[in-house]
Amino acid sequence: MSAIPQGRTRRAVLTSAACAALAVTGATVLTGCSEDPDAGTNGVGKLPAARIQTETRAAAQAAPAVRLSGTVVTSGRTYRLDMQLKADGGTGSVTSRGATFHLLRTGRQLFLKADADFWSHGGDAAAGKLEGKYVKVPQGDPAYRKFSGFTDKDVLLSGLLTLHGKLSTDGHHEQAGTRTIRITGDDGSGGTLDVSLEGKPYPLRLVRAGSAGTLRFSDWAKDFAVTQPPKSETVDYGRQLPAS
């Protein structure tokens, strides 16, 4: 182990003593005494905002799994999501207009599970047949394209993790005990994104532009099981779904 030069050690001791004295007396703290908010971090806090956005999108894309929760507003409709996503599938719940339904996708097979009220558009007979079952969504059904996006990690994140307007940084913050750097688009009107300063620069919280929802990201790279439901709990409706 290499020795630390005595001059450097002495300067460090004197600086620490001076800072302590200033703190006790209430005097203005010298620049050299201020704590570096990026000390011990992954370093992205020192990057330009555009580079931070690039780094966090790359980290998100490379991660094998993530949990996403919060709200998304699209076409005037609000969806509350709680989804676990990975490369080859996803599972979780979506709530809209008071109705909650569960989505499960394995590969290209998409299943939707909901109560009788959700299926009531197809009449009492359809509702009774489909209630509480995992209903296989035909790939040609309009509902497939609409709902499969909620279970597709790459599609969902690539559409969400983009701020609009001129990018800038907005200081150091904290999300669920993790230090973050916040970047904004057009001073916040184009959205804000908190990026982790610990470990990989994963996105942790997104406020979408235009009051289009707030999302939190967690469980990055934590794997989970996603398997097809038992046949006894599955219904292949065979034609366009009533809820479509």
Side-chain angles (χ1 to χ4, degrees):
M1 180 173 64
S2 60
I4 300 175
Q6 290 186 351
R8 186 184 305 175
T9 303
R10 187 173 180 226
R11 285 195 298 272
V13 171
L14 291 174
T15 299
S16 298
C19 290
L22 288 170
V24 170
T25 61
T28 302
V29 180
L30 298 172
T31 302
C33 299
S34 61
E35 182 180 353
D36 181 2
D38 292 298
T41 71
N42 54 26
V44 297
K46 298 180 179 181
L47 301 176
R51 178 70 182 279
I52 296 174
Q53 179 172 255
T54 298
E55 293 288 331
T56 195
R57 286 171 66 93
Q61 184 177 18
V66 65
R67 182 172 184 174
L68 180 155
S69 59
T71 58
V72 171
V73 181
T74 179
S75 300
R77 189 166 182 173
T78 300
Y79 296 90
R80 181 170 297 278
L81 312 179
D82 188 358
M83 301 295 301
Q84 287 181 287
L85 308 171
K86 59 195 300 185
D88 59 350
T91 183
S93 64
V94 180
T95 301
S96 181
R97 297 179 181 174
T100 298
F101 53 94
H102 296 269
L103 295 172
L104 171 65
R105 183 179 63 83
T106 60
R108 294 182 60 83
Q109 302 295 315
L110 176 66
F111 300 88
L112 190 155
K113 182 180 180 181
D115 59 18
D117 289 340
F118 181 88
W119 297 115
S120 61
H121 300 284
D124 292 340
K129 180 181 179 181
L130 305 179
E131 178 183 13
K133 298 290 188 178
Y134 285 96
V135 180
K136 186 177 180 180
V137 183
Q139 293 184 25
D141 193 311
Y144 184 90
R145 182 176 181 181
K146 181 177 182 179
F147 293 138
S148 64
F150 288 127
T151 67
D152 192 314
K153 172 180 172 288
D154 290 339
V155 169
L156 196 57
L157 293 185
S158 63
L160 291 173
L161 297 179
T162 299
L163 302 178
H164 303 282
K166 183 180 179 181
L167 298 181
S168 59
T169 56
D170 187 29
H172 292 69
H173 299 265
E174 185 177 291
Q175 295 295 327
T178 300
R179 290 179 293 171
T180 66
I181 182 70
R182 181 171 297 169
I183 58 176
T184 68
D186 282 346
D187 296 324
S189 62
T192 69
L193 182 65
D194 277 59
V195 178
S196 176
L197 289 174
E198 302 176 18
K200 295 185 179 180
Y202 292 129
L204 297 183
R205 181 176 182 267
L206 170 70
V207 178
R208 302 183 70 205
S211 301
T214 299
L215 292 165
R216 288 178 172 79
F217 307 90
S218 60
D219 294 346
W220 284 105
K222 292 184 179 180
D223 196 16
F224 61 95
V226 55
T227 58
Q228 289 195 19
K231 289 186 177 181
S232 60
E233 300 177 18
T234 304
V235 173
D236 190 344
Y237 196 64
R239 57 185 187 274
Q240 184 169 310
L241 302 184
S244 299

